[in-house]
Amino acid sequence: MHHIKVAGIAAIAAFGVAATAQADEWKFALEEIEGSVQDMYAQEFKRIVEEASGGDIEVTIYPYGQLGTSADLTELAQSGVVQLTFASPGHLGTLIPEVQVFSLHYLLSQNNDVNKEFLGSSPTIYEGLAGDFADHGLRLITMFPEGEMVWTTNREIHSPADFDNFKMRTMVSPMLVAAYEALGASPTPMPYGEVYGGLQLGMIDGQVNPIFAIQEMKFYEVVDYMIFAGQQQFTTTVVAGLDWFDGLSPEHQALVTDSQAELLDYIYATQEAMNAERLEMIIADRPELTVIHLTAEEREAFREASLGAREDFAEMVGPSGEEILNSVVAEIEALEAEHGAE
Ligand code: 6CS
């Protein structure tokens, strides 16, 4: 009797293991920590995909810190170790020079509704740049803005001259280095995980990121100023390994692509709320931090200084560079005519 019972339990356990093993695991890597905008997106993606697949798919999320730098994550997706990853243009420049158009300052709109629509459905991106991703073994799934990038610094900055000898940490794309040189700074590229220590040790004088990131990475603890210059939205891309994506059944491919419209609405509203809430958290936690919004004239001086970097972009990318830049500008202008510029 006792033996039969044990055998029964063993049989059930074995069946349970077999049933679990049948679910395909999709590993999804993040460039940001738990609780970030990218994590919110991935959690919602997981919920939608797992539910719609009826147990066929299990999505496992790997927050930043577990698998390496952003550049490492892109390589892991190319080689099929992870199936999906975030790959922000600010880190992709060496691999895909064309995507550095998103590292140019004062190019995207001041109206983030325009940016949402542009990044979610632009022909320049999904019919053009997607081919450059494919050339490097990546399937471009989607793009969205994560919030306005804000300078957190140990020096008050109002003009390009104030950036003289200022070590500004940037993401690692060469275009960002050129873009901050055009603004008068001395850019210092480094991976995300090294920024807090870099500020604390005085290796850098400032860094630039959206508010939610400044809060969760605690950058605001080790600077004196938070400066809004309206120069740029943080943009990100979600990519899949191309071989993996091409090998999926049409039903599973559709699970990835068809969920995007719903996900974009969700993440866009979420990032907006998170950035607003976390600004309050930062101010409450460190009231002595000076928050500066540059005046229209001050911004204009930075915008003018930034234009020189557009030539660097064309040089870095080659003949298609100017074409990409012109069509991005034209698409944004058309969307601003529809939605308003601010
Ligand atoms: O500054 C960075 O490197 C990072 N910033 C954000 C907001 N997301 C990922 C990226 O690697």
Side-chain angles (χ1 to χ4, degrees), residues 31-32 38 64 70 88 91 146 149 169-172 190-193 195 207-210 212-214 216 219 234 236:
E31 299 172 298
E32 294 168 3
Q38 292 186 0
Y64 187 68
S70 293
S88 294
H91 289 293
E146 295 191 26
M149 293 190 85
R169 178 270 171 175
T170 64
M171 291 177 274
V172 303
M190 59 170 69
Y192 199 34
V195 179
Q207 71 85 43
V208 50
N209 255 308
F212 81 86
I214 292 168
E216 70 191 12
F219 299 150
F234 184 90
T236 196

Side-chain angles (χ1 to χ4, degrees), residues 115-135:
N115 298 329
K116 177 197 175 211
E117 190 169 332
F118 168 70
L119 294 170
S121 58
S122 153
T124 311
I125 299 172
Y126 296 97
E127 289 162 26
L129 289 177
D132 300 307
F133 280 79
D135 289 345

Side-chain angles (χ1 to χ4, degrees), residues 37-38 41 85-90 92 98-103 107-108 112-130 133 139-146 233-239 260-261 263-265 267-268 271 328:
V37 170
Q38 292 186 0
Y41 173 97
T85 189
F86 277 92
S88 294
L92 270 181
E98 294 82 357
V99 82
Q100 299 187 107
V101 71
F102 300 106
S103 297
L107 179 69
L108 293 188
N112 214 21
D113 291 340
V114 166
N115 298 329
K116 177 197 175 211
E117 190 169 332
F118 168 70
L119 294 170
S121 58
S122 153
T124 311
I125 299 172
Y126 296 97
E127 289 162 26
L129 289 177
F133 280 79
R139 161 84 190 204
L140 174 63
I141 306 292
T142 193
M143 266 195 103
F144 59 86
E146 295 191 26
Q233 277 287 320
F234 184 90
T235 58
T236 196
T237 79
V238 178
V239 298
Q260 290 312 317
L263 274 163
L264 279 191
D265 285 340
I267 199 58
Y268 184 71
Q271 63 81 25
V328 167

Side-chain angles (χ1 to χ4, degrees), residues 12-274:
I12 290 164
F15 177 75
V17 168
T20 315
Q22 271 170 10
D24 278 348
E25 190 193 21
W26 293 3
K27 298 189 178 78
F28 192 165
L30 313 183
E31 299 172 298
E32 294 168 3
I33 63 174
E34 249 171 78
S36 62
V37 170
Q38 292 186 0
D39 190 30
M40 294 295 126
Y41 173 97
Q43 299 287 353
E44 189 64 2
F45 176 83
K46 174 181 168 72
R47 191 189 66 74
I48 293 172
V49 166
E50 288 185 352
E51 204 175 289
S53 79
D56 282 356
I57 296 164
E58 193 187 329
V59 177
T60 316
I61 299 168
Y62 292 85
Y64 187 68
Q66 296 187 7
L67 300 176
T69 64
S70 293
D72 295 331
L73 302 183
T74 304
E75 277 178 31
L76 293 177
Q78 286 173 310
S79 59
V81 175
V82 302
Q83 285 65 51
L84 296 145
T85 189
F86 277 92
S88 294
H91 289 293
L92 270 181
T94 317
L95 187 68
I96 310 174
E98 294 82 357
V99 82
Q100 299 187 107
V101 71
F102 300 106
S103 297
L104 291 172
H105 290 143
Y106 300 100
L107 179 69
L108 293 188
S109 182
Q110 290 300 312
N111 180 348
N112 214 21
D113 291 340
V114 166
N115 298 329
K116 177 197 175 211
E117 190 169 332
F118 168 70
L119 294 170
S121 58
S122 153
T124 311
I125 299 172
Y126 296 97
E127 289 162 26
L129 289 177
D132 300 307
F133 280 79
D135 289 345
H136 292 91
L138 297 169
R139 161 84 190 204
L140 174 63
I141 306 292
T142 193
M143 266 195 103
F144 59 86
E146 295 191 26
E148 177 177 352
M149 293 190 85
V150 180
W151 297 329
T152 53
T153 67
N154 62 16
R155 189 194 295 176
E156 195 164 342
I157 304 287
H158 289 274
S159 69
D162 294 336
F163 264 149
D164 192 34
N165 272 324
F166 182 99
K167 289 193 282 306
M168 176 65 105
R169 178 270 171 175
T170 64
M171 291 177 274
V172 303
S173 282
M175 189 61 240
L176 277 169
V177 173
Y180 272 95
E181 276 171 354
L183 296 189
S186 304
T188 308
M190 59 170 69
Y192 199 34
E194 293 172 24
V195 179
Y196 185 92
L199 287 168
Q200 199 176 33
L201 297 174
M203 291 158 65
I204 47 176
D205 302 311
Q207 71 85 43
V208 50
N209 255 308
I211 296 162
F212 81 86
I214 292 168
Q215 192 277 329
E216 70 191 12
M217 299 299 282
K218 308 286 179 214
F219 299 150
Y220 69 94
E221 290 178 354
V222 281
V223 291
D224 299 321
Y225 302 94
M226 201 165 163
I227 304 169
F228 290 73
Q231 82 288 0
Q232 201 177 29
Q233 277 287 320
F234 184 90
T235 58
T236 196
T237 79
V238 178
V239 298
L242 188 63
D243 289 344
W244 171 75
F245 188 85
D246 286 349
L248 287 178
S249 67
E251 293 75 26
H252 284 180
Q253 285 185 346
L255 274 185
V256 177
T257 50
D258 294 357
S259 54
Q260 290 312 317
E262 181 185 343
L263 274 163
L264 279 191
D265 285 340
Y266 165 78
I267 199 58
Y268 184 71
T270 301
Q271 63 81 25
E272 199 168 55
M274 281 171 69

